[in-house]
Every structure is written in structure tokens, then in C-alpha cells.
Amino acid sequence: LAIIDKRREKAGISEVMHVIGEVSGQECILIDDMVDSAGTICNAASALMAHGASSVRAFASHGVFSGSAVDRITKSPLTEMVVTDSIAATELTLACRKIKYLPVAPLIGEAMLRISEERSVSSLFDAIPVGG
């Protein structure tokens, strides 16, 4: 486990300050709730690589990808950026080979069905295979 310590001097601008933990030679995974401008996630990936990571992948719930986010991701050391399709893909994001989308509708549909049938929703997450 490693932590990226960041500071946000003003809205929309973040700077990675420290990598806390040993990442040298490791395949790193960044997890975030949302990627908007992609500045923070790309800075974090660069910081991990500078500390010797062998690769960096990023996963986020929502991919906003505003402004020059796609260009930042393309030029970043990220191997891939995986998001759900909770926000519709654009032609630009679909053209980026690093950005991958996972469908969220089947999971939401199953959760709704289980709620209506008064079955466990939390057990949905017990069946998710690692890496898939």
C-alpha cells in the first residue's frame, strides 16, 4: 500500500507532494472517485514512476474528461485509465487507446431487482472476480 500525498493550492490545480510507501519495481494501481481534468491522476502516475514503479494503471468511478484530459492521459505514463460508463463516452475518449470503459447498467439493474425482491444487495459484490 502506498499513498500519494497531494496539495491543492487552488481549484483545478494539484501538485503531488510525496509518495508514502515503497513502490519501486511494483505494478501500481491508482483509485479515485472521479477524473475531470486528469491533472491529479497523471501527476500521481508520474510521481509513482519517478519512485521506481514498473507500471501504473488508474481506476475511477466516473470519467468526466474535461478540457485537455484525454491529451494528458495519452501523454502520461499511465498504462490504462479505466472508468465506468456512468458518463457517456465521447469520440475523443473512445479514440484514446489508454481509456477503457466498464458498463455499470447490469450491476445497477441487478441491484434494483434484488431490492424489489428484498434480497441482499451487498452479496452482489462477493461474486465479483478479481481483475474482472
Side-chain angles (χ1 to χ4, degrees):
L1 174 67
I3 298 170
I4 303 292
D5 175 39
K6 75 170 184 176
R7 300 284 186 252
R8 191 175 298 276
E9 297 297 321
K10 54 184 167 180
I13 299 173
S14 69
E15 178 182 337
V16 173
M17 301 298 284
H18 298 49
V19 175
I20 304 165
E22 182 56 48
V23 299
S24 183
Q26 300 297 312
E27 295 179 14
C28 296
I29 298 172
L30 292 166
I31 300 172
D32 209 344
D33 59 343
M34 178 180 71
V35 175
D36 186 1
S37 69
T40 299
I41 209 98
C42 291
N43 287 344
S46 293
L48 289 168
M49 293 301 288
H51 281 80
S54 62
S55 67
V56 182
R57 287 179 168 75
F59 294 80
S61 298
H62 311 289
V64 178
F65 303 127
S66 65
S68 57
V70 174
D71 187 51
R72 276 192 196 95
I73 291 166
T74 300
K75 293 176 180 174
S76 79
L78 286 169
T79 303
E80 66 180 345
M81 171 81 248
V82 181
V83 296
T84 70
D85 62 356
S86 63
I87 297 174
T90 65
E91 287 184 30
L92 191 58
T93 60
L94 290 172
C96 179
R97 289 189 283 158
K98 289 187 178 185
I99 298 175
K100 310 279 192 285
Y101 284 90
L102 297 177
V104 73
L107 180 62
I108 293 171
E110 181 65 22
M112 291 171 63
L113 176 66
R114 288 176 183 222
I115 289 168
S116 72
E117 294 177 348
E118 297 181 5
R119 294 189 292 136
S120 171
V121 174
S122 61
S123 66
L124 263 176
F125 302 102
D126 296 337
I128 296 174
V130 174

